[in-house]
Amino acid sequence: MDLSSIRKLITRYCTGEESWVDSRTVYIGHKEPPPGTEAYIPQRFPDNRIVSSKYTFWNFIPKNLFEQFRRIANFYFLIIFLVQLIIDTPTSPTTSGLPLFFVITVTAIKQGYEDWIRHKADNAINQCPVHVIQHGKVVRKQSQKLRVGDIVQVKENETFPCDLILLSTSREDGTCFVTTASLDGESSHKTYYAVQDTKAFNTAEEVDTLHATIECEQPQPDLYKFVGRINIYLDRDEPIARPLGSENLLLRGATLKNTEYIHAVAIYTGMETKMALNYQSKSQKRSAVEKSMNAYLIVYLCILISKALINTVLKYAWQANPNRDEPWYNQKTETERQRHVLIRAFTDFLAFMVLFNYIIPVSMYVSVEMQKFLGSYFILWDDDMFDEELGEGPLVNTSDLNEELGQVEYVFTDKTGTLTENNMELRECCVDGHVYVPHAVCNGQILPGAARMDMIDSSPGVDGKEREELFFRALCLCHTVQVKEEETVDGIKRGIHQGKSTSFYISSSPDEVALVEGMNRLGFTYLRLKDSHMEILNREDEMERFELLEVLNFDSVRRRMSVIVRSSSGEYYLFCKGADSSIFPRVVSGKVEQVRARVEHNAVEGLRTLCVAYKKLTHEEYEETCLLLNSAKLALQERDKKLAEAYDVIEKDFILLGATAVEDRLQDKAADTIESLHKAGMKVWVLTGDKMETAAATCYASRLFHRNTQILELTTKRTEEQSLHDVLFDLSRTVLRQHGSMTRDTFSGLSGDCQDYGLIIDGATLSAVLKPTQEGTSNGGNYKEIFLEICRNCSAVLCCRMAPLQKAQIVKLIKASKEHPITLAIGDGANDVSMILEAHVGIGIMGKEGRQAARNSDYAITKFKHLKKMLLVHGHYYYIRIAELVQYFFYKNVCFIFPQFLYQFFCGFSQQPLYDTAYLTLYNISFTSLPILLYSLMEQHINMDILKRDPTLYRDIAKNSLLRWPTFIYWTFLGIFDAVVFFFGAFFLFDNTTFTSNGQLMATNTQMMFGNWTFGTLVFTVLVFTVTLKLALDTHYWTWINHFVIWGSLLFYVIFSLLWGGIIWPFLNYQRMYYVFMQMLSSGPAWLSIILLIIVSLLPDVVKKVLCRALWPTTTERIQHADKLYKGHLSEFTPLSSLHAPPVRKHDRHCNEHQNHTHRRTNWCCLCANLLSRNTP
């Protein structure tokens, strides 16, 4: 054996075969293959543990500290704290250390608690008991101890613990039924098949005797793809090889239904299961506001460094003159004088940095954390979002993203269970042009007032009765429905005949169940499939038996399915049902025009329509059909293509019978919610694992697509006819033809003369679009950019047949586009977890498909309709409040520290503080913190009812509009202006001073003792009153709490100053602030100067607001003004559109193009909504 073979074996043994080959070998029951067949090499696979937590007990502290100090602010304050410890600075290290410690501790506790919850969820799953067959007996072990190769027994209603290959079932035909709601969102039953040669191994003893190996591909995330083979060793020398496909693979997270038990072998475990591979890793999400804060922090850090640098340079320039050296009372020691000038300069630079570091307050981050945490309770306490049926309200899993709810530009939503209730209802039948309006039949339950099937036009007559009954028979026979012979499932009573039968229908297609249930009410009851015979009960309660000969299964390319049956009289029938576009071209007779008109009418209503046709076959034609199908089924190469060609030959020359209309019931107010999101400027994408036709019908029902929406398809069917390159460029030319390079993002809406486009793309085509382009190809184009360009110009996008990871890829693609929009993903199943984690904001729905989405989301709600209030009201308020908090904090700290900077020019750059240490410490902690914190929790600039009624107000805060650079610069310059007024106002008012007989400095124009601390206290008093009153001017929503906190903060400052400097306590005898504040207030001119400086400081901001509101009011300001006129009681009949900006004049059209198109879009959407509106149950 050569060295390469040895190395190969060592690698294979040590690391597992999966690390170096594309396939793995699984030994069923861990049994070695017979001697002489193949070498038995044990492989190492991961155990069955699932890990969704972020930290462990050992790495929590270092990992959490590392993540927290990645924040610029936290790292900055750490450096300042260390500087204060190392060198002699003007302020105490406590002023920086305590607030930093508080922020780090609170954040660590919060994140640790969230991760502890995830650990608990993981342990509940990993310690769940499973049944494993060992030595012919069934033993129990924990799920986490399951290994690849173990034979598992799963019972009905149990969840599969890992990915399994089905070996045998309790059913004789070797089939089992499974729901995959937690994987692909579909709660309907799917059929899976055991390997034909192993389905007879029904008991634990028999399964334990099985001698076989499985060769299959390495783990990959595609839920719908699996390739493998099983080698079964019998007495003969050569093993029997059978192919394995996705129909044999049971996925972790799916649930066994309608089958007593199954035996299966584990092939993928733990984090290698397809469900785990589709999980997106949980990363730290940061809001747009936090990113703006970091950017502002960098700007202020530069300002801080500039201030310290300027003062350091000017200090040494000042001391260059021998007469201006350090004063005698501040003489340096000899050691200090002998230091190198650069070291002294650097030390002074650091001292100035510490002196001015209050310009970046750590208290802002404390206030932001408290605002987010306390503000999240407003969602929890919202009674409108409480669901009486579930008895639950919304959940907030993280409060870090509250304000992001007010910045959403793209909404990615799941379909099944999110937009819809996944309850199909037969709404209408059209037989030979005669229309029937049925009662409401939904999953075996007859809704109140539903007694019979009514016709809305004339009777079909005697001649039409046969065709009518043939139509009903076709729907009773052309399906894949199974009958479950039990009374209840999941605690819900189900029945075919109300009060009579204990059977109900299950199928992989819920609309098939609705159709069969509807036929049951018409007198044709499907009973069962027994011995390859389908039994139905006709109107005369006579049983009819049809032999099921062939099933031509549905696929998304053909968009139809057929069955070939033989009646008891020996006649052969081919019944076919499918989409109108796939049936009508194959029809040769029947009332096509009447049926087509009804189908189009129902399609506009958003109903799922199917056409039904048939043809009779002679015995010879049937024999030819069998030969054609069998030759295609036995083909090893291009089997799908040959089957499609065979189906195309067989399914033609039909006679049209009629059509059906089924409604997938939308959740309450789902359509209204989507319409409101559109008006608010958000783009809504539906990402679903469902079929294209089903998803498209739901999009029409939910008003995502409108009647005049031109649908663009980017699907497998089209890319088979044209190359992907050609299809993409055709679609690109189509959407850009009308308005050139101007995208819909440019004007954020649809105008009256603009074509409305909707895009439909499937998972396979998306994979091709996202595949990296190989260099040197003839196309060479960037498909991603073309695809994004098409999407930007579509009002809505539907992505169907999506694997969970593809959903996340779509979200990531939009996030990474050049506009970097804020994205939100909402879903209710485990298949939605990846996109929920990928999006900026993830929302889970607490629905019927488990709580995986709710656990992994940032927020959880009970119904899709609650998304409207969460975004348009709560999101709007959160953003308005925190934007004011951030800007105000920077503003008040510029006001606070800039006088300190100016003061250095008058004290020889000696690092002398202007304010007392108590004022320095308490300014941000006590004197000015509570008013802004309460504002950020209580402010309502517009009544919440108005925000819900007028979604366009959401556009006023879009794209982080309140934290843009012009607004930030305005607040900064306003702070600098106020600081200059404070400092120089006080300076010039007390400019003329003389010494008194006891050596004190007296201001002759105010008759007040005037010194360093008096001057600083005067400036600080004006500062505290000005910044507090500035916030009072910005407050729109006043309550008694606001009054208490704002005026209470000012009163607290006055009382504290009196206590600090005016009351004679022993430890205050030698305080520098002794009696300073009291003596200052005893001077009448000091009162006058304080009032005058406050007015001068606030005047520019007041004038600016008055002028802007009078000359250039925003929509928000117009509605605020109107609300005041109505004294806070704007009637629901008040036309809010009249309060929007007036029509654009011709000469202003260019600069206001965005706003003009927005209004036209609103009117256009309202018109479509009125045209398409209908009552959704």
Side-chain angles (χ1 to χ4, degrees):
M1 183 181 290
D2 59 4
L3 290 176
S4 62
S5 300
I6 296 173
R7 185 168 59 249
K8 187 175 180 181
L9 287 173
I10 292 173
T11 306
R12 186 173 182 178
Y13 179 79
C14 294
T15 63
E17 189 177 17
E18 67 272 17
S19 65
W20 62 277
V21 293
D22 295 330
S23 65
R24 62 169 57 181
T25 301
V26 177
Y27 301 96
I28 297 179
H30 309 287
K31 295 179 182 177
E32 299 183 19
T37 51
E38 63 175 285
Y40 174 64
I41 302 175
Q43 300 173 46
R44 293 188 178 183
F45 300 112
D47 57 24
N48 201 38
R49 280 179 299 176
I50 287 292
V51 179
S52 64
S53 54
K54 189 175 180 181
Y55 305 105
T56 66
F57 177 80
W58 304 107
N59 71 8
F60 173 72
I61 292 178
K63 191 173 181 179
N64 187 264
L65 288 177
F66 173 75
E67 289 185 350
Q68 290 207 57
F69 283 116
R70 285 171 60 192
R71 284 185 173 182
I72 298 174
N74 290 346
F75 185 72
Y76 162 75
F77 289 118
L78 177 65
I79 296 299
I80 291 295
F81 175 66
L82 294 177
V83 168
Q84 288 179 299
L85 287 175
I86 294 170
I87 68 169
D88 183 21
T89 57
T91 55
S92 168
T94 309
T95 57
S96 296
L98 278 180
L100 177 63
F101 177 77
F102 176 75
V103 172
I104 296 297
T105 304
V106 169
T107 306
I109 291 172
K110 186 182 75 169
Q111 293 179 354
Y113 175 74
E114 291 173 353
D115 203 64
W116 177 68
I117 296 296
R118 287 193 287 270
H119 270 284
K120 285 184 65 179
D122 289 343
N123 290 335
I125 294 173
N126 294 331
Q127 295 175 8
C128 180
V130 295
H131 297 89
V132 179
I133 295 176
Q134 291 180 353
H135 309 298
K137 296 181 180 180
V138 178
V139 298
R140 286 174 53 140
K141 63 164 63 174
Q142 290 183 346
S143 175
Q144 63 186 356
K145 296 180 180 178
L146 208 58
R147 294 189 299 155
V148 170
D150 283 347
I151 300 176
V152 181
Q153 184 185 77
V154 181
K155 297 181 180 179
E156 186 173 9
N157 295 323
E158 290 183 351
T159 300
F160 301 130
C162 59
D163 291 350
L164 307 164
I165 289 294
L166 182 58
L167 298 176
S168 64
T169 77
S170 59
R171 301 170 66 93
E172 293 180 2
D173 58 359
T175 61
C176 71
F177 301 98
V178 170
T179 57
T180 57
S182 63
L183 296 170
D184 57 14
E186 296 184 23
S187 58
S188 53
H189 291 61
K190 295 183 174 66
T191 306
Y192 287 82
Y193 302 90
V195 180
Q196 286 297 313
D197 298 86
T198 64
K199 69 179 183 181
F201 295 80
N202 287 324
T203 65
E205 294 79 7
E206 291 173 346
V207 172
D208 194 51
T209 63
L210 179 62
H211 212 158
T213 61
I214 293 176
E215 295 177 43
C216 61
E217 61 187 357
Q218 290 296 349
Q220 49 104 354
D222 191 341
L223 295 179
Y224 308 105
K225 182 183 177 184
F226 176 75
V227 177
R229 71 177 180 184
I230 182 170
N231 300 310
I232 304 168
Y233 299 96
L234 300 176
D235 296 333
R236 65 186 70 180
D237 295 334
E238 289 297 322
I240 299 174
R242 299 293 185 213
L244 297 175
S246 57
E247 70 276 6
N248 309 114
L249 180 66
L250 304 173
L251 300 177
R252 177 176 191 143
T255 305
L256 183 66
K257 295 288 184 181
N258 201 28
T259 309
E260 187 180 346
Y261 64 85
I262 61 132
H263 293 118
V265 59
I267 57 166
Y268 303 134
T269 53
M271 301 308 290
E272 288 189 343
T273 59
K274 288 183 180 286
M275 185 177 76
L277 292 175
N278 274 280
Y279 275 160
Q280 192 78 3
S281 59
K282 196 172 182 71
S283 59
Q284 187 75 21
K285 295 183 179 180
R286 304 198 185 281
S287 68
V289 170
E290 187 172 345
K291 293 173 184 174
S292 295
M293 286 169 57
N294 288 338
Y296 298 163
L297 184 70
I298 292 172
V299 171
Y300 272 66
L301 194 57
C302 294
I303 293 174
L304 171 63
I305 294 172
S306 301
K307 282 183 177 181
L309 197 61
I310 291 170
N311 276 265
T312 303
V313 172
L314 291 177
K315 175 178 182 176
Y316 283 87
W318 169 267
Q319 293 180 358
N321 188 332
N323 298 324
R324 294 175 179 171
D325 198 0
E326 294 278 348
W328 61 270
Y329 53 82
N330 196 24
Q331 288 289 329
K332 291 188 174 70
T333 63
E334 193 62 28
T335 306
E336 290 176 326
R337 289 184 177 278
Q338 290 177 356
R339 279 185 189 169
H340 194 278
V341 67
L342 291 179
I343 296 177
R344 284 186 285 141
F346 181 69
T347 304
D348 285 328
F349 171 77
L350 293 178
F352 278 120
M353 286 280 289
V354 171
L355 183 64
F356 298 142
N357 90 87
Y358 296 95
I359 196 171
I360 307 172
V362 70
S363 59
M364 178 178 72
Y365 288 88
V366 177
S367 298
V368 167
E369 289 288 336
M370 293 179 66
Q371 189 269 347
K372 289 182 176 183
F373 175 72
L374 296 176
S376 64
Y377 281 93
F378 289 112
I379 291 180
L380 298 175
W381 294 335
D382 193 333
D383 291 337
D384 293 341
M385 299 173 72
F386 184 84
D387 188 80
E388 297 288 347
E389 182 182 347
L390 291 175
E392 292 186 77
L395 295 176
V396 178
N397 295 327
T398 176
S399 57
D400 292 339
L401 303 169
N402 292 346
E403 64 277 8
E404 205 81 331
L405 294 170
Q407 294 296 295
V408 176
E409 298 171 62
Y410 280 80
V411 175
F412 299 93
T413 175
D414 179 40
K415 182 189 77 70
T416 308
T418 303
L419 291 179
T420 70
E421 296 178 354
N422 203 28
N423 288 328
M424 302 298 178
E425 179 183 327
L426 180 64
R427 293 289 299 272
E428 180 180 295
C429 288
C430 175
V431 183
D432 258 358
H434 299 282
V435 180
Y436 297 77
V437 176
H439 51 68
V441 181
C442 183
N443 291 347
Q445 302 303 308
I446 312 302
L447 300 186
R452 56 192 172 85
M453 182 83 88
D454 299 321
M455 292 184 62
I456 64 172
D457 58 4
S458 60
S459 172
V462 179
D463 296 338
K465 283 291 184 181
E466 289 185 10
R467 297 287 288 276
E468 179 187 286
E469 291 188 358
L470 193 59
F471 173 84
F472 297 148
R473 285 191 182 93
L475 289 176
C476 282
L477 298 170
C478 188
H479 57 71
T480 57
V481 171
Q482 303 286 331
V483 179
K484 180 158 179 71
E485 302 289 342
E486 286 186 14
E487 186 177 4
T488 60
V489 68
D490 297 335
I492 302 172
K493 184 173 287 189
R494 313 289 289 273
I496 297 175
H497 296 289
Q498 191 175 19
K500 296 180 181 179
S501 175
T502 59
S503 302
F504 67 95
Y505 299 123
I506 57 175
S507 172
S508 60
S509 175
D511 53 350
E512 280 193 337
V513 175
L515 291 174
V516 175
E517 287 170 345
M519 294 308 101
N520 170 51
R521 294 300 300 170
L522 281 171
F524 283 81
T525 304
Y526 172 63
L527 296 178
R528 66 187 66 85
L529 174 64
K530 185 177 181 181
D531 300 327
S532 299
H533 283 77
M534 302 180 80
E535 299 177 356
I536 64 174
L537 206 64
N538 62 22
R539 285 173 172 168
E540 285 75 32
D541 284 339
E542 297 172 350
M543 183 183 293
E544 298 179 6
R545 285 170 59 91
F546 292 83
E547 185 180 358
L548 180 61
L549 301 172
E550 297 286 350
V551 178
L552 283 60
N553 287 316
F554 177 91
D555 64 70
S556 59
V557 177
R558 283 168 48 242
R559 299 200 291 182
R560 60 183 180 273
M561 77 157 290
S562 301
V563 295
I564 300 176
V565 296
R566 181 167 57 197
S567 67
S568 55
S569 61
E571 294 178 306
Y572 293 90
Y573 288 95
L574 190 154
F575 292 115
C576 182
K577 72 179 181 193
D580 56 316
S581 58
S582 65
I583 297 292
F584 285 143
R586 299 176 176 274
V587 167
V588 293
S589 66
K591 297 184 179 181
V592 177
E593 293 307 318
Q594 294 95 319
V595 176
R596 190 195 302 273
R598 200 64 199 171
V599 167
E600 290 178 354
H601 174 270
N602 289 332
V604 169
E605 291 292 319
L607 301 177
R608 301 157 60 122
T609 58
L610 287 175
C611 292
V612 182
Y614 83 104
K615 73 174 179 178
K616 282 188 176 182
L617 300 175
T618 64
H619 182 73
E620 291 74 18
E621 288 174 334
Y622 168 67
E623 292 292 341
E624 292 176 6
T625 299
C626 283
L627 288 173
L628 191 60
L629 286 174
N630 287 334
S631 63
K633 288 179 179 178
L634 292 173
L636 296 177
Q637 302 294 329
E638 297 183 336
R639 180 184 299 176
D640 292 340
K641 182 180 178 182
K642 291 181 179 180
L643 276 174
E645 292 172 353
Y647 292 161
D648 190 59
V649 172
I650 297 167
E651 296 172 325
K652 64 181 181 181
D653 300 331
F654 287 133
I655 300 170
L656 185 64
L657 286 173
T660 63
V662 173
E663 180 184 26
D664 185 3
R665 297 179 57 180
L666 286 177
Q667 285 195 17
D668 183 34
K669 297 183 180 178
D672 173 65
T673 301
I674 286 183
E675 197 168 25
S676 297
L677 298 182
H678 272 305
K679 289 180 181 179
M682 295 176 232
K683 289 194 173 184
V684 182
W685 289 32
V686 175
L687 312 182
T688 177
D690 215 339
K691 298 188 295 289
M692 186 178 80
E693 295 78 19
T694 306
T698 303
C699 290
Y700 278 106
S702 62
R703 302 179 200 163
L704 190 72
F705 293 157
H706 298 290
R707 183 173 60 177
N708 58 347
T709 300
Q710 181 178 339
I711 302 300
L712 309 174
E713 289 191 14
L714 187 55
T715 58
T716 306
K717 181 181 178 182
R718 185 164 180 186
T719 53
E720 286 177 352
E721 299 168 356
Q722 286 179 276
S723 69
L724 178 61
H725 180 272
D726 293 341
V727 173
L728 283 170
F729 277 91
D730 284 349
L731 294 179
S732 181
R733 281 194 296 269
T734 300
V735 298
L736 296 177
R737 184 182 300 127
Q738 187 168 357
H739 48 274
S741 61
M742 183 187 298
T743 65
R744 291 185 188 275
D745 282 351
T746 307
F747 51 82
S748 189
L750 302 171
S751 61
D753 56 353
C754 183
Q755 175 64 54
D756 183 18
Y757 293 106
L759 178 68
I760 298 178
I761 183 172
D762 59 20
T765 313
L766 178 69
S767 297
V769 170
L770 299 182
K771 188 182 296 182
T773 306
Q774 294 182 357
E775 296 182 8
T777 56
S778 57
N779 297 334
N782 191 337
Y783 289 162
K784 287 184 185 179
E785 288 302 319
I786 301 171
F787 173 68
L788 284 172
E789 190 68 24
I790 295 169
C791 293
R792 289 189 194 103
N793 289 278
C794 292
S795 60
V797 177
L798 166 62
C799 304
C800 52
R801 305 307 287 175
M802 292 279 122
L805 202 56
Q806 285 182 310
K807 293 184 178 184
Q809 288 173 341
I810 280 280
V811 176
K812 189 174 183 179
L813 182 67
I814 297 300
K815 278 174 61 179
S817 62
K818 60 184 179 182
E819 297 89 3
H820 297 293
I822 304 300
T823 59
L824 178 145
I826 178 169
D828 67 321
N831 60 314
D832 303 313
V833 169
S834 292
M835 73 169 180
I836 285 172
L837 294 177
E838 181 62 49
H840 292 95
V841 182
I843 296 183
I845 289 185
M846 295 177 280
K848 302 174 183 177
E849 299 178 8
R851 296 299 172 94
Q852 293 96 331
R855 280 203 309 265
N856 287 276
S857 62
D858 304 307
Y859 304 89
I861 55 179
T862 54
K863 291 287 188 295
F864 182 78
K865 66 180 180 179
H866 298 318
L867 184 64
K868 178 179 177 179
K869 187 172 185 182
M870 180 169 272
L871 297 184
L872 302 186
V873 178
H874 290 292
H876 199 121
Y877 283 156
Y878 282 139
Y879 178 74
I880 290 287
R881 294 164 179 169
I882 202 165
E884 176 84 10
L885 184 149
V886 171
Q887 300 281 28
Y888 178 79
F889 250 102
F890 281 110
Y891 156 78
K892 73 185 182 73
N893 276 64
V894 169
C895 294
F896 177 47
I897 216 67
F898 200 73
Q900 178 74 70
F901 172 72
L902 296 174
Y903 184 62
Q904 296 305 305
F905 288 85
F906 296 86
C907 67
F909 306 100
S910 61
Q911 300 154 12
Q912 168 64 38
L914 175 62
Y915 313 115
D916 181 66
T917 302
Y919 289 159
L920 281 172
T921 304
L922 297 178
Y923 174 74
N924 281 310
I925 294 176
S926 300
F927 300 148
T928 61
S929 60
L930 275 182
I932 184 58
L933 178 61
L934 192 75
Y935 175 97
S936 65
L937 292 172
M938 306 285 291
E939 174 65 1
Q940 295 182 22
H941 64 302
I942 294 179
N943 187 283
M944 68 171 60
D945 293 329
I946 298 175
L947 289 177
K948 283 193 288 187
R949 284 172 48 206
D950 190 1
T952 56
L953 292 172
Y954 193 87
R955 296 169 183 256
D956 285 356
I957 60 169
K959 298 186 181 296
N960 207 15
S961 60
L962 300 184
L963 288 174
R964 290 178 180 166
W965 287 107
T967 310
F968 167 72
I969 292 171
Y970 168 76
W971 280 86
T972 301
F973 276 100
L974 182 65
I976 292 173
F977 171 82
D978 290 351
V980 170
V981 171
F982 304 156
F983 184 84
F984 287 106
F987 180 80
F988 289 118
L989 282 171
F990 297 94
D991 189 30
N992 190 9
T993 57
T994 58
F995 283 100
T996 60
S997 57
N998 60 0
Q1000 292 179 322
L1001 197 64
M1002 176 72 72
T1004 55
N1005 52 349
T1006 62
Q1007 298 300 307
M1008 184 180 75
M1009 287 186 295
F1010 186 73
N1012 172 55
W1013 302 117
T1014 305
F1015 177 67
T1017 302
L1018 178 61
V1019 172
F1020 191 81
T1021 302
V1022 177
L1023 162 69
V1024 170
F1025 274 80
T1026 300
V1027 298
T1028 305
L1029 293 176
K1030 158 70 176 157
L1031 186 65
L1033 290 174
D1034 287 347
T1035 302
H1036 295 92
Y1037 185 72
W1038 284 92
T1039 64
W1040 68 267
I1041 304 178
N1042 295 76
H1043 286 289
F1044 176 78
V1045 170
I1046 287 179
W1047 313 124
S1049 293
L1050 296 177
L1051 184 62
F1052 172 75
Y1053 164 69
V1054 173
I1055 293 173
F1056 174 82
S1057 298
L1058 291 174
L1059 289 173
W1060 186 242
I1063 304 297
I1064 302 177
W1065 287 348
F1067 68 92
L1068 289 177
N1069 283 340
Y1070 302 102
Q1071 286 289 319
R1072 55 195 178 192
M1073 292 297 293
Y1074 176 67
Y1075 221 72
V1076 169
F1077 191 76
M1078 183 71 77
Q1079 197 272 338
M1080 183 188 75
L1081 294 185
S1082 64
S1083 170
W1087 282 88
L1088 180 62
S1089 62
I1090 291 171
I1091 295 172
L1092 183 63
L1093 291 177
I1094 291 172
I1095 293 174
V1096 173
S1097 300
L1098 294 175
L1099 190 61
D1101 190 51
V1102 173
V1103 171
K1104 178 252 182 187
K1105 286 185 176 179
V1106 170
L1107 289 177
C1108 288
R1109 284 177 176 265
L1111 301 178
W1112 310 285
T1114 64
T1115 302
T1116 300
E1117 290 168 347
R1118 287 173 182 273
I1119 290 179
Q1120 285 173 345
H1121 179 66
D1123 200 30
K1124 287 180 181 177
L1125 292 179
Y1126 285 93
K1127 297 182 179 180
H1129 296 89
L1130 264 178
S1131 168
E1132 62 177 309
F1133 301 107
T1134 306
L1136 295 179
S1137 57
S1138 64
L1139 303 176
H1140 288 220
V1144 184
R1145 295 187 180 91
K1146 187 173 182 179
H1147 64 276
D1148 292 328
R1149 185 171 299 158
H1150 177 70
C1151 62
N1152 291 316
E1153 183 179 18
H1154 172 87
Q1155 194 173 6
N1156 189 24
H1157 282 285
T1158 299
H1159 300 147
R1160 285 197 285 174
R1161 171 183 170 85
T1162 303
N1163 296 333
W1164 186 89
C1165 286
C1166 291
L1167 177 62
C1168 286
N1170 293 331
L1171 289 173
L1172 293 169
S1173 63
R1174 62 181 178 84
N1175 292 328
T1176 302

